[in-house]
Amino acid sequence: MAGEVAMEAQEKEAQVAAWLKKIFGDHPIPQYEVNPRTTEILHHLSERNRVRDRDVHLVIEDLKQKASEYESEAKHLQDLLMESVNFSPANLSSTGSNYLNALVDSAVALETKDTSLASFIPAVNDLTSDLFRTKSKNEEIKLELAKLEKNLTATLVLEKCLREDLKKAELHLSTERAKVDNRLQNMDFLKAKSEEFRCGIRAAEEKLSARGMDTSLSHQSLVALSEKLAELKRQTIPLKKKLESYLDLMPNPSLAQVKIEEAKRELDTIEAELTKKVDMMEL
């Protein structure tokens, strides 16, 4: 098995060497590293080159055969023309030769089998149909191109508007960011001040407590007392209205007057006490 593989490798190397010698001819073959991989690659290339040469040779032979057939047909037609009307292309004037060449060139361009009118008319009709189809296709392409240009213009306008909106949004965002930063700075400042005031209030309360201040004079007590006073005033409103209705009654007005005076004195006492405590707090 190993011997067969070695023989196959040697055969490939020999084929590669022969192919390279054929390719380069009298020129020296470039140096290359001989190993199984390079031998396999060069052998594959040589096989492909051999197949291509064979195909090219077949095409050349086919073209030679067709050329020979065309020459034979041309000679036959020329002989037929000479026998029938004793006419030869060599006897034509220069203008006639030009016309004949133009006729031949037209037949070649139209790919007709001969130069007869029966061959030229269908070929010209086909060419005309192709021309109409091409024009119709060109019109469709023009319409499509116009539509694309219109869409492109609209897209460019939209892009411009979007860019402007984006600039406005970025400017607005920058302004809002500056406002937010300013508010954050103000918030930090207010927090610091609030903490400073809280510490000051705590220190003042501690000083007042150390001096023996009555707890009833604290801020919270005064706030509670103020709320209580407001509640009492609110409760006295219906009593005053009720009292006003009693003032209209005839019996014992002096007793009612005494009650009113007592209520007024009680209210004045509460207000005076509250005022006193507020004044002491301010001191």
Side-chain angles (χ1 to χ4, degrees):
M1 185 67 179
E4 294 179 357
V5 173
M7 289 180 61
E8 183 179 358
Q10 291 177 358
E11 184 178 355
K12 287 184 177 180
E13 290 179 3
Q15 292 176 356
V16 167
W19 174 66
L20 291 175
K21 185 176 181 180
K22 178 182 176 181
I23 293 295
F24 289 97
D26 297 334
H27 298 282
I29 299 174
Q31 296 294 326
Y32 67 94
E33 182 180 356
V34 179
N35 56 48
R37 184 172 181 274
T38 57
T39 301
E40 186 65 29
I41 293 173
L42 292 174
H43 183 264
H44 178 69
L45 291 175
S46 67
E47 288 296 318
R48 292 188 61 181
N49 184 260
R50 182 178 61 80
V51 173
R52 187 191 64 180
D53 290 344
R54 183 190 63 189
D55 295 340
V56 171
H57 179 71
L58 292 176
V59 172
I60 292 173
E61 291 298 325
D62 183 64
L63 292 176
K64 286 181 178 179
Q65 184 179 354
K66 288 183 178 180
S68 178
E69 292 176 357
Y70 291 152
E71 288 177 358
S72 299
E73 183 69 18
K75 188 175 183 305
H76 171 71
L77 294 174
Q78 186 175 357
D79 293 340
L80 183 63
L81 187 62
M82 286 291 295
E83 291 176 1
S84 59
V85 294
N86 193 21
F87 174 78
S88 174
N91 298 329
L92 290 175
S93 63
S94 60
T95 304
S97 298
N98 292 334
Y99 286 158
L100 182 61
N101 291 331
L103 187 63
V104 173
D105 293 339
S106 299
V108 173
L110 293 174
E111 298 180 354
T112 59
K113 63 180 181 179
D114 52 37
T115 57
S116 63
L117 189 61
S119 298
F120 271 113
I121 290 177
V124 171
N125 290 337
D126 292 340
L127 189 62
T128 304
S129 299
D130 292 341
L131 179 60
F132 284 141
R133 283 195 296 269
T134 303
K135 286 183 177 180
S136 177
K137 189 65 176 179
N138 287 339
E139 292 297 327
E140 293 178 0
I141 293 175
K142 285 181 179 179
L143 292 175
E144 187 68 23
L145 181 61
K147 186 185 298 183
L148 291 175
E149 288 178 351
K150 183 177 180 181
N151 293 337
L152 178 61
T153 302
T155 303
L156 292 175
V157 172
L158 179 60
E159 181 184 4
K160 182 179 179 181
C161 294
L162 290 176
R163 288 182 182 277
E164 292 177 355
D165 292 340
L166 180 60
K167 289 182 179 179
K168 292 179 181 178
E170 289 177 349
L171 180 61
H172 179 70
L173 181 61
S174 177
T175 304
E176 290 298 322
R177 185 180 292 112
K179 290 181 179 179
V180 170
D181 293 339
N182 188 24
R183 290 173 182 173
L184 289 176
Q185 293 177 359
N186 292 337
M187 186 181 296
D188 294 338
F189 175 76
L190 292 176
K191 285 182 179 179
K193 282 296 182 182
S194 177
E195 185 64 25
E196 181 181 350
F197 289 151
R198 188 178 294 110
C199 294
I201 292 172
R202 189 180 301 113
E205 289 178 350
E206 291 177 356
K207 288 181 180 180
L208 292 175
S209 178
R211 294 177 182 178
M213 184 192 74
D214 189 359
T215 56
S216 61
L217 297 178
S218 64
H219 176 71
Q220 294 180 352
S221 299
L222 292 176
V223 171
L225 188 60
S226 177
E227 292 176 353
K228 183 177 179 182
L229 178 60
E231 179 65 20
L232 291 175
K233 288 182 177 180
R234 187 184 63 80
Q235 292 177 1
T236 57
I237 292 175
L239 294 176
K240 287 182 178 180
K241 291 182 179 180
K242 186 176 180 180
L243 183 60
E244 289 175 356
S245 63
Y246 282 119
L247 291 176
D248 295 334
L249 299 178
M250 293 301 296
N252 203 0
S254 59
L255 182 59
Q257 186 65 34
V258 172
K259 292 294 184 180
I260 292 173
E261 293 298 331
E262 290 179 357
K264 286 183 177 180
R265 283 195 299 271
E266 183 178 357
L267 183 60
D268 292 339
T269 302
I270 294 173
E271 289 180 352
E273 183 179 357
L274 179 61
T275 303
K276 178 180 178 182
K277 290 183 177 182
V278 172
D279 293 339
M280 292 178 63
M281 187 65 184
E282 291 179 352
L283 294 176

